[in-house]
């Protein structure tokens, strides 16, 4: 089951961005444009996590948080407050009202997902798995394991990071230099052809004779992860 996230945000562009990135990370997302709608939706179906803006039409995010904590059925739902109000007194008020975490805008999606995982590990540990799946390949980042169909795949640390990065961006073509920066780091000097060696090792590990190779070589451009094969 994918964790159900209710995003309560009246800024349409940010709400759409949050929905897109959350769904890409494997969450199911419901949007609410104001606090009143959020309270109505949580009365119909209890989410696994609520992301709520402080400044909302009709009913404020603080009041949404207070009312959710006051209902027996939603008293333990994890709540992360998103807000431009970064003063210490505001953070204290948000946390005292019942928010489990408090993120000040602007924030990165990487930080948001890390905060979501931390809150879920603390409150709903059964939902905190950090998995990436594509076709019959699954990466468990927490256990540092990879499976394809019914078999476990053993990868070295570099091949694991390489597969993880490619699977996070399916269909996108990366040059060797881009992969070096993303997987090895921009402060490490490694020859670009080293990428070819590790891609070869990765292919050998994840593919058997009957399986389609999901790593596509794009001539004069680089590599792409495409589960449909090439």
């Amino acid at each position: 089951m994918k964790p159900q996230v209710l995003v309560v945000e009246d800024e349409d562009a940010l709400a759409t961005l949050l929905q897109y990135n959350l769904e890409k990370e494997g969450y199911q997302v419901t949007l609410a444009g104001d606090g009143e709608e959020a309270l109505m939706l949580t009365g119909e179906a209890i989410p696994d996590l609520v992301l709520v803006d402080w400044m909302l039409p009709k009913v404020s995010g603080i009041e949404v948080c207070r009312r959710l904590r006051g209902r027996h059925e939603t008293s333990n739902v994890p709540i992360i407050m998103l807000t431009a109000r970064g003063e210490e007194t505001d953070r204290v008020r948000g946390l005292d009202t019942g928010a489990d975490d408090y993120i000040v805008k602007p924030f990165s999606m990487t930080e948001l997902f890390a905060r979501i995982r931390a809150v879920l590990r603390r409150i709903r540990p059964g939902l905190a798995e950090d998995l990436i799946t594509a076709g019959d390949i699954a990466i468990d980042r927490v256990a540092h394991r990879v499976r394809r169909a019914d078999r476990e795949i053993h990868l070295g640390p570099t091949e694991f990071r390489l597969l993880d990065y490619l699977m996070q961006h399916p269909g996108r073509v990366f040059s060797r230099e881009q992969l070096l920066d993303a997987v090895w780091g921009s402060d490490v000097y490694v020859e670009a052809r080293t990428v070819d060696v590790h891609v070869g090792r990765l292919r050998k590990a994840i593919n058997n004779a009957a399986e389609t190779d999901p790593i596509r070589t794009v001539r004069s451009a680089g590599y792409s992860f495409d589960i449909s094969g090439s």
Side-chain angles (χ1 to χ4, degrees):
M1 285 289 292
K2 295 181 179 180
Q4 303 279 338
V5 178
L6 173 62
V7 175
V8 193
E9 173 60 63
D10 63 323
E11 187 181 330
D12 290 343
L14 179 55
T16 301
L17 182 66
L18 287 168
Q19 180 178 24
Y20 171 77
N21 283 279
L22 285 163
E23 289 179 346
K24 193 168 70 169
E25 287 290 309
Y27 299 95
Q28 290 189 18
V29 180
T30 303
L31 297 180
D34 59 65
E36 191 175 275
E37 184 182 8
L39 292 169
M40 180 191 71
L41 289 171
T42 54
E44 296 172 352
I46 300 173
D48 295 306
L49 178 82
V50 176
L51 298 178
V52 58
D53 189 12
W54 181 314
M55 304 298 289
L56 292 169
K58 299 182 181 179
V59 179
S60 71
I62 280 283
E63 182 63 14
V64 168
C65 188
R66 188 187 69 79
R67 293 192 196 180
L68 291 177
R69 289 290 175 252
R71 291 180 187 168
H72 174 72
E73 61 272 20
T74 56
S75 60
N76 292 318
V77 171
I79 301 173
I80 298 178
M81 187 162 285
L82 310 176
T83 178
R85 302 174 67 145
E87 294 296 323
E88 182 181 1
T89 53
D90 294 324
R91 291 198 298 273
V92 170
R93 184 182 171 195
L95 294 170
D96 281 348
T97 305
D100 297 289
D101 204 348
Y102 188 105
I103 302 179
V104 178
K105 299 176 181 178
F107 53 84
S108 71
M109 290 297 160
T110 302
E111 178 188 7
L112 175 63
F113 294 138
R115 299 284 193 97
I116 288 173
R117 291 192 296 268
V119 166
L120 289 177
R121 277 196 301 270
R122 196 165 66 242
I123 301 169
R124 301 278 183 88
L127 297 173
E129 290 182 322
D130 193 359
L131 299 174
I132 300 177
T133 60
D136 60 354
I137 300 176
I139 292 181
D140 184 337
R141 286 165 158 172
V142 176
H144 214 269
R145 289 181 173 176
V146 179
R147 295 191 67 83
R148 182 162 194 182
D150 58 351
R151 65 188 176 93
E152 186 164 351
I153 296 169
H154 299 283
L155 298 178
T158 301
E159 286 74 31
F160 184 92
R161 293 195 304 272
L162 182 59
L163 179 62
D164 185 5
Y165 188 73
L166 289 170
M167 284 181 64
Q168 288 185 64
H169 306 88
R172 180 174 170 183
V173 179
F174 291 99
S175 67
R176 294 178 178 86
E177 290 74 18
Q178 288 173 321
L179 290 173
L180 283 173
D181 284 347
V183 177
W184 280 262
S186 57
D187 57 340
V188 177
Y189 176 73
V190 182
E191 290 188 2
R193 289 292 174 182
T194 301
V195 175
D196 300 338
V197 174
H198 286 277
V199 167
R201 291 177 183 170
L202 178 58
R203 280 175 161 152
K204 185 176 180 180
I206 64 175
N207 301 320
N208 63 31
E211 293 170 332
T212 302
D213 184 2
I215 300 175
R216 183 165 56 97
T217 301
V218 183
R219 188 173 181 180
S220 302
Y223 297 100
S224 174
F225 184 89
D226 182 0
I227 198 61
S228 64
S230 53

